Amino acid sequence: MKTLQNHTLIYDNECPMCNIYSKGFTKCGMLDENGREAFTELSLKNKNLIDFKRAKNEIALVDHNKNEVVYGLDSLLLIIGNSFPVLEKIARIKPLYWFFKKLYSFVSYNRKQIIPSKKDDSDQSCIPDFNLKYRIAYITFVIFFSAYILSLFTAKLGLNLEHHFLREFIVCLGQIAWQTVFLKAYLKEKLWNYLGNMMTVSMIGTLLLIPILFISLNPTFNVIYFGIVVSIMFLEHLRRCKILKLNYLPTISWMIFRMTVLVILIWINFLRFK
């Protein structure tokens, strides 16, 4: 690896994803050993160079030779391109560059909903601005992904439920509508933050179901496994509400909706085969 000398990457030390890839750059030699600096521990020199607000949304890379700063995708491409010039040239082809830039923003603006931090209540914390477009994009992505996987999984539960994407899609939308209607007055300015975290809980559950799709097992085992997944989701929902400094109300409402849907599906299925 070719080391990018005299550059410092200003990373969000309260974000596990940022920690991992920035540490990876130094470990593999793409940045020198002191080539990264925590956002909450900025030196005075770097603090005066960077756009503090922009650096919360797009990771900053300081060039100490020119006293210049690049941000976001460009900072990552500069580091990668120093060791792999061909990869940088490919990534900078206009359609690809547009896609990667959107993908970077998609992750960056939702990173605190993907992996929340307990230390996000300080002005010095690296908290991205709220971006409605990317929050809706994240929620929409999880809805479609979860609905598709759930439509495949429910057919393996032995409850005579067929593969039905629209049914699961409506359930996912219903969860958001239910929580929004019943909790809007309680959540207030935390509504979008909560919805983003709730959808990550759904994403976690969905990912845990995927391995079962490739294994032919007894329906009883699948039901038990599904119960375990729901329990994990329940505990994760509680944990995230605690981080958001919310009480048990969102979790209770979340469980009531899920139990209601389950009862309705079982009842409809019973009427079909009565």
Side-chain angles (χ1 to χ4, degrees):
M1 297 289 181
K2 186 179 178 183
T3 304
L4 185 62
Q5 301 286 348
N6 296 318
H7 283 71
T8 302
L9 189 68
I10 311 300
Y11 72 102
D12 180 2
N13 52 309
E14 292 163 358
C15 168
M17 290 184 293
C18 302
N19 257 310
I20 290 170
Y21 76 72
S22 62
K23 190 173 184 178
F25 285 146
T26 59
K27 286 288 185 182
C28 70
M30 297 174 77
L31 287 172
D32 57 43
E33 193 174 336
N34 299 313
R36 67 174 190 151
E37 185 171 283
F39 187 90
T40 57
E41 300 169 6
L42 278 172
S43 64
L44 184 60
K45 180 182 179 182
N46 287 333
K47 195 169 186 177
N48 289 332
L49 280 173
I50 69 169
D51 181 331
F52 196 73
K53 182 176 175 62
R54 185 178 179 183
K56 291 184 177 184
N57 301 323
E58 302 175 86
I59 195 165
L61 180 67
V62 180
D63 181 345
H64 297 290
N65 294 323
K66 300 178 182 177
N67 283 332
E68 293 178 351
V69 186
V70 291
Y71 297 88
L73 178 63
D74 290 322
S75 65
L76 300 182
L77 290 180
L78 186 60
I79 296 169
I80 295 169
N82 188 61
S83 295
F84 305 101
V86 175
L87 288 181
E88 182 185 7
K89 286 181 180 178
I90 293 172
R92 289 193 181 278
I93 296 172
K94 279 191 176 181
L96 289 176
Y97 181 79
W98 177 88
F99 171 76
F100 287 130
K101 196 169 181 65
K102 293 296 181 183
L103 180 62
Y104 179 91
S105 296
F106 176 83
V107 174
S108 181
Y109 282 110
N110 291 296
R111 68 182 189 271
K112 298 298 184 180
Q113 284 65 53
I114 297 172
I115 306 179
S117 170
K118 296 178 180 178
K119 302 177 181 178
D120 286 345
D121 53 358
S122 166
D123 291 337
Q124 299 303 309
S125 297
C126 191
I127 306 171
D129 293 332
F130 170 66
N131 188 297
L132 181 61
K133 178 177 68 174
Y134 286 110
R135 186 60 46 80
I136 291 175
Y138 178 64
I139 291 172
T140 302
F141 168 76
V142 177
I143 288 173
F144 276 94
F145 181 66
S146 295
Y148 176 71
I149 298 300
L150 280 168
S151 68
L152 297 176
F153 181 80
T154 50
K156 297 171 72 69
L157 292 175
L159 300 175
N160 296 314
L161 292 172
E162 300 174 353
H163 168 65
H164 201 307
F165 172 80
L166 183 58
R167 177 190 64 221
E168 302 303 334
F169 180 78
I170 292 172
V171 170
C172 291
L173 279 180
Q175 177 82 83
I176 295 171
W178 175 285
Q179 294 294 80
T180 299
V181 169
F182 284 100
L183 298 174
K184 189 175 181 180
Y186 169 67
L187 293 172
K188 296 178 183 177
E189 72 280 356
K190 292 182 179 180
L191 176 64
W192 286 102
N193 196 2
Y194 166 75
L195 290 177
N197 275 276
M198 183 185 77
M199 296 315 291
T200 301
V201 171
S202 295
M203 174 70 82
I204 291 169
T206 301
L207 292 173
L208 289 174
L209 293 178
I210 290 176
I212 301 299
L213 299 180
F214 300 97
I215 307 173
S216 295
L217 295 170
N218 188 293
T220 302
F221 175 85
N222 291 336
V223 171
I224 294 171
Y225 183 80
F226 183 67
I228 293 171
V229 170
V230 172
S231 298
I232 291 171
M233 292 171 67
F234 172 77
L235 293 174
E236 180 62 14
H237 193 278
L238 276 176
R239 186 184 76 87
R240 287 171 179 260
C241 283
K242 186 176 180 181
I243 290 173
L244 293 173
K245 298 180 180 177
L246 300 173
N247 61 22
Y248 292 111
L249 183 61
T251 303
I252 293 170
S253 176
W254 180 80
M255 283 303 296
I256 288 173
F257 175 83
R258 291 192 168 269
M259 294 301 293
T260 302
V261 169
L262 181 61
V263 170
I264 290 172
L265 288 177
I266 292 174
W267 178 250
I268 291 174
N269 190 52
F270 172 76
L271 292 177
R272 282 175 58 199
F273 294 92
K274 187 175 180 180

